[in-house]
Amino acid sequence: MINPWLLWSAISTTARLSTVLQILIFLPLTLATLSRQAFLLHSLLLLLHSLIHGTMVMLWGSDALSVLQVPMHPFLLLVCFNVFSASANPWVGSATDWWGTALTLMGPLFISMEGLSSLLVAQKVGQEGKKLVERGELFQFGLLIATSATYVVSAWWIVGSYPTAASSPLSSTLLGVALTTFIFLTFIGFWLRRTNIIESSSLALFLAYNVWLCGVDQKSFLDPASSYAPLLSNLLPHFQTLLNFLINTLPKPVLIALLYRLTILHLASRILPTIGADSWEFEEGADNGWENRPTSTLTRLLLTYRQSIFITVYSHLLLLDHSSQMWWRWANIFFTLVIWAVELLVSSEDDGDTKRWKVD
């Protein structure tokens, strides 16, 4: 006899996976087969639904909500197809224009969140690596090999990406400035004893990843509506067309950027409750514990409304053409380097928190 708990866990997990896959497929599908306006309407409807769902999860907290929301995504897709089967009402155009403008204005917010989260995760990795080094020479030797390999992989990745990432004199200049800044900040951090090779190698990998995205498969960043296959007329009679859409048409660089951004935000949200500007950091039992800390509240909100963040980030990335994507990547690189420089130079050497987060 099947355990009811295992059966329900399998059903709820399948429902969550189905929700993610539906969002991943339906948003570019709407953009490909209808129009930019239909895509924005679909994205807005998905966002409103996710906000309602997240609020119900916060108030109710039942796994049944994951199962109940599965049919909502096909329903919202059909609503968009129905609305744009004829001339859409003016209020639909106003709503989609407003949402498109909002997504455009959110660009700096997404870049700053990704950069700060990447820096936070790199520092956390450096902190945990320092703890492992203190356990013995075996760990020290293993981490030395790992960081050396990370530097080599990052350098190889940057060199391999150079022909496409530095396709213009300005891009090549920005790449040179970014690499020079990174090297100088690394040596400054070593000299001030406020960083270590683990943190530095993690940021080198972050730098290589962004440089790679600046030049990877530029055709994938062209106008999606013009590059996608004519799926609508063949969707029902030809399953092969749908399969080709899934394999060849989904914007792979966008999916990679989406996966990285969501992963780094999730990791940063897990790290936030462990740091702070007060003495609670190392006194988990003080007062009422962790629950009343502002960072814990922020983490709870991020995890509760993670589906809304997923939809918003994905919609923003789908709207970017290659040129916009490339310049946002350069902005991300320099923003992260500036924040790292400020953190290295401003943090006090006598601060207890700094000592625990940095190498002595």
Side-chain angles (χ1 to χ4, degrees), residues 119 181 185 332-345:
L119 181 58
T181 303
L185 287 178
N332 192 8
I333 290 173
F334 286 103
F335 174 79
T336 306
L337 290 176
V338 168
I339 295 299
W340 191 35
V342 171
E343 192 272 339
L344 289 177
L345 299 175

Side-chain angles (χ1 to χ4, degrees), residues 11-302:
I11 293 174
S12 59
T13 301
T14 303
R16 293 189 184 96
L17 180 61
S18 173
T19 297
V20 173
L21 291 177
Q22 286 176 359
I23 295 173
L24 283 175
I25 295 172
F26 289 170
L27 280 175
L29 174 63
T30 310
L31 185 61
T33 58
L34 292 177
S35 63
R36 186 177 185 273
Q37 241 187 353
F39 163 77
L40 290 172
L41 176 62
H42 190 202
S43 173
L44 181 58
L45 292 176
L46 287 176
L47 176 66
L48 295 176
H49 165 258
S50 65
L51 291 174
I52 296 173
H53 172 75
T55 304
M56 293 179 67
V57 168
M58 180 178 292
L59 298 177
W60 185 13
S62 174
D63 288 337
L65 292 171
S66 300
V67 179
L68 293 176
Q69 76 162 335
V70 171
M72 284 299 300
H73 296 87
F75 171 74
L76 294 177
L77 179 64
L78 291 176
V79 168
C80 289
F81 273 71
N82 183 61
V83 169
F84 285 90
S85 61
S87 298
N89 292 330
W91 66 267
V92 174
S94 300
T96 55
D97 290 341
W98 171 85
W99 180 231
T101 303
L103 285 174
T104 303
L105 295 176
M106 287 180 187
L109 174 63
F110 293 145
I111 290 301
S112 60
M113 289 178 65
E114 180 178 332
L116 288 172
S117 299
S118 300
L119 181 58
L120 183 61
V121 171
Q123 291 181 336
K124 183 65 175 180
V125 171
Q127 180 199 28
E128 295 301 323
K130 182 173 177 289
K131 292 180 181 178
L132 290 177
V133 168
E134 294 173 352
R135 293 187 178 182
E137 294 183 357
L138 181 61
F139 289 98
Q140 185 176 2
F141 183 71
L143 286 173
L144 183 62
I145 294 177
T147 52
S148 300
T150 303
Y151 279 125
V152 172
V153 169
S154 301
W156 171 82
W157 205 356
I158 292 173
V159 171
S161 305
Y162 180 82
T164 52
S167 56
S168 66
L170 179 58
S171 298
S172 59
T173 301
L174 291 175
L175 178 57
V177 172
L179 291 176
T180 304
T181 303
F182 170 76
I183 294 173
F184 270 96
L185 287 178
T186 297
F187 283 112
I188 290 173
F190 290 162
W191 181 61
L192 296 176
R193 306 182 69 83
R194 292 173 187 171
T195 189
N196 54 41
I197 59 173
I198 303 174
E199 178 182 328
S200 175
S201 63
S202 299
L203 288 172
L205 198 61
F206 164 80
L207 179 64
Y209 159 76
N210 280 278
V211 170
W212 172 72
L213 271 185
C214 286
V216 64
D217 193 11
Q218 299 190 15
K219 294 181 180 179
S220 299
F221 289 101
L222 296 176
D223 182 14
S226 63
S227 61
Y228 287 174
L231 179 64
L232 185 59
S233 60
N234 300 310
L235 179 59
L236 295 178
H238 301 290
F239 179 77
Q240 185 62 39
T241 304
L242 177 60
L243 184 61
N244 290 335
F245 176 84
L246 298 178
I247 295 175
N248 301 318
T249 311
L250 285 179
K252 297 178 182 63
V254 171
L255 296 181
I256 294 172
L258 174 70
L259 178 62
Y260 176 81
R261 185 167 291 180
L262 294 179
T263 301
I264 208 71
L265 287 175
H266 178 77
L267 293 175
S269 69
R270 294 295 187 181
I271 296 172
L272 279 175
T274 67
I275 61 177
D278 50 52
S279 59
W280 288 1
E281 279 187 48
F282 302 96
E283 299 176 7
E284 298 184 22
D287 298 327
N288 295 323
W290 299 93
E291 294 302 319
N292 293 328
R293 300 196 59 186
T295 49
S296 297
T297 303
L298 177 60
T299 298
R300 191 180 301 111
L301 289 175
L302 288 175

Side-chain angles (χ1 to χ4, degrees), residues 1-11:
M1 183 177 179
I2 300 178
N3 189 323
W5 182 83
L6 291 177
L7 179 61
W8 178 247
S9 297
I11 293 174

